[in-house]
Amino acid sequence: MPEFLTLIPPADALRKVLSALPEKRNPAAERIPTEQALGRTLAAPVTAPESLPPFRRTTVDGYAVRAADTFGATLSLPAYLAVVGEIEMGTASSNAVGAGEAVLIHTGGMIPEGADSVVMVEDTQRASGDRLEVYRPTAPGQNVLEAGEDVGSGEIVLQAGQRLRPQEIGGLMALGVLEVEAALPPKAAIISSGNEIVEPGEELRQGEVRDVNSYTLAALIEQAGGESQLMGIIPDELDDLAAAIQQAHRETDLIIVTAGSSVSVRDHTAAAFGQLGPPGILVHGLAVRPGRPTILGVAGEIPFCGLPGNPVSALVIADLLMTPLIHHLLGRREPILRPSVVARAAVNLPSESGREEYIPVRLEMDDQGWVAQPVYGRSNLIFSLIRADGLAHIPAHASGVAEGEPVRVRLFE
């Protein structure tokens, strides 16, 4: 059984795994309605079938005019124009705007021929009859959206590998794109190992604990855009664990085993992974706390991971490493942007130089800003994460954070 001779930072470990996977992956895809595609990843680019906006339109309520007719207008010396019509919403104007003329128009309305700007209604006053007084000049193009100013017809508006957020859904609907090619969620096998582990619905006997990791990891995988396949609880027997891992290798795109990743006589995860084939185990041991005994590797084109059995360690490391692996398998191109805040440490946060540390903290606010209050608990206490708002990150080069000093807090989603 290998020892922890070389511990590497999580980011380096992730790069090592990604470099062993195909550089470009064309995930299987399905065509789905755009309205059901929130959070999905595009498998093909989307080209605009038309321009947006499709016509010149106003951004304000006012009067469509020729800008030159308003030059020099002031409160004391207004420009006088003749109102020759009104543009109803959803219709085109039958009137062209000539010299000295104006047409009443409402926000979003179509700019009539001859007009090159819109004067806001609050800068005008209707005089007797159809006479309009303009108190402020406009410039050509002012308060006007040109046809195609947002998107041009034939333009690639969304790239393959892009995750669809609410704004992308709205943009596609604005273009009349009712279906998209979405990458199928990669399937992650989750195997929980340990003689003491039982299903959550079972009554506990002395020495037993309920399976936490299968369900927290499944939720995290699905949050990242994947699909989880729970493979059940495997006893601390090498043959049983190896058989489950080999089945997962045949059926899924990513294998995750919790517990058994350390180096005791009951820890068989490394040996079981070693039976899968090349390139094999690439990392065994991370310079991080919690999560030191993590295993990472690739067999064929299938990445695998052995996580610590402690729930906090398993969830923290899975978020650091499994989330980006799911994104890679989906073909996502954009970097992972996680919300974070800078807070002041409420107490001294000691750390060992040379390793990263992630400390559950609760965020409080005082008159100087955010304060990070540590939530104390060992790495097998899942409620230490439930009570926390995020993880204070102490980088490897630091030997801790003194009370009152700034620390970056990685927020939970």
Side-chain angles (χ1 to χ4, degrees):
M1 186 68 66
E3 299 289 339
F4 299 131
L5 296 179
T6 304
L7 302 178
I8 67 174
D12 292 346
L14 178 62
R15 280 191 288 269
K16 211 168 185 180
V17 172
L18 292 178
S19 67
L21 294 172
E23 287 187 14
K24 290 186 178 179
R25 206 169 173 107
N26 297 316
E30 61 180 341
R31 194 156 188 84
I32 61 173
T34 301
E35 63 188 276
Q36 298 174 15
L38 181 65
R40 298 292 296 272
T41 300
L42 287 177
V46 176
T47 301
E50 59 190 43
S51 295
L52 189 67
F55 54 85
R56 297 169 73 225
R57 59 192 301 188
T58 174
T59 61
V60 297
D61 292 331
Y63 293 87
V65 299
R66 296 187 178 191
D69 291 337
T70 68
F71 291 168
T74 65
L75 281 171
S76 59
L77 188 62
Y80 291 94
L81 304 177
V83 178
V84 295
E86 177 181 355
I87 300 174
E88 299 291 340
M89 293 300 294
T91 64
S93 171
S94 57
N95 302 71
V97 175
E101 295 180 339
V103 170
L104 178 63
I105 193 169
H106 309 283
T107 301
M110 184 174 181
I111 302 293
E113 290 294 324
D116 61 5
S117 66
V118 175
V119 59
M120 292 191 295
V121 68
E122 51 264 45
D123 294 328
T124 67
Q125 181 171 302
R126 292 289 288 264
S128 58
D130 293 330
R131 201 176 191 201
L132 179 71
E133 296 179 351
V134 178
Y135 299 117
R136 180 174 294 179
T138 66
Q142 188 169 339
N143 301 321
V144 174
L145 284 177
E146 297 295 334
E149 185 172 327
D150 196 4
V151 169
S153 178
E155 179 183 342
I156 295 178
V157 291
L158 296 174
Q159 296 286 350
Q162 187 161 349
R163 178 177 177 269
L164 297 180
R165 303 167 296 174
Q167 51 266 53
E168 280 83 22
I169 300 296
L172 291 170
M173 289 302 193
L175 289 168
V177 178
L178 302 183
E179 291 185 335
V180 293
E181 290 286 331
L184 286 171
K187 188 176 293 184
I190 300 175
I191 301 169
S192 190
S193 67
N195 294 336
E196 77 283 12
I197 308 297
V198 299
E199 293 291 348
E202 294 187 25
E203 186 174 345
L204 294 179
R205 296 178 298 182
Q206 289 292 326
E208 293 181 337
V209 294
R210 294 188 176 93
D211 184 10
V212 172
N213 290 338
S214 291
Y215 299 94
T216 56
L217 294 174
L220 184 140
I221 291 299
E222 290 168 17
Q223 181 176 268
E227 178 183 323
S228 59
Q229 179 172 316
L230 301 186
M231 305 288 288
I233 301 168
I234 307 300
D236 289 322
E237 298 292 339
L238 176 57
D239 290 345
D240 293 338
L241 183 58
I245 287 175
Q246 288 162 14
Q247 178 187 350
H249 189 264
R250 293 189 298 269
E251 297 178 355
T252 64
D253 306 297
L254 169 64
I255 308 167
I256 304 172
V257 176
T258 66
S261 63
S262 194
V263 292
S264 79
V265 294
R266 293 176 59 249
D267 293 322
H268 302 300
T269 302
F273 278 142
Q275 298 180 23
L276 286 179
I281 293 174
L282 303 174
V283 175
H284 193 174
L286 299 178
V288 65
R289 180 181 178 187
R292 182 186 179 202
T294 298
I295 299 168
L296 293 167
V298 175
E301 295 185 1
I302 306 297
F304 58 78
C305 176
L307 294 171
N310 290 331
V312 173
S313 302
L315 193 55
V316 169
I317 298 302
D319 193 25
L320 288 176
L321 300 177
M322 296 302 97
T323 295
L325 266 176
I326 289 291
H327 286 200
H328 176 84
L329 296 175
L330 282 166
R332 287 189 185 168
R333 296 185 178 183
E334 74 272 14
I336 298 176
L337 301 177
R338 286 296 298 268
S340 65
V341 298
V342 175
R344 302 187 330 277
V347 297
N348 291 335
L349 301 176
S351 179
E352 181 180 317
S353 182
R355 74 177 181 196
E356 295 181 35
E357 185 145 3
Y358 290 88
I359 301 171
V361 296
R362 185 179 65 255
L363 288 172
E364 300 171 351
M365 177 70 78
D366 65 14
D367 56 1
Q368 298 179 52
W370 290 113
V371 178
Q373 181 71 50
V375 178
Y376 294 106
R378 298 186 185 275
S379 57
N380 61 347
L381 301 176
I382 187 63
F383 273 82
S384 65
L385 290 185
I386 292 172
R387 297 184 183 104
D389 298 308
L391 299 169
H393 176 218
I394 302 179
H397 61 77
S399 57
V401 176
E403 178 182 349
E405 292 299 310
V407 62
R408 182 161 293 278
V409 178
R410 177 186 171 104
L411 301 177
F412 295 137
E413 291 189 25

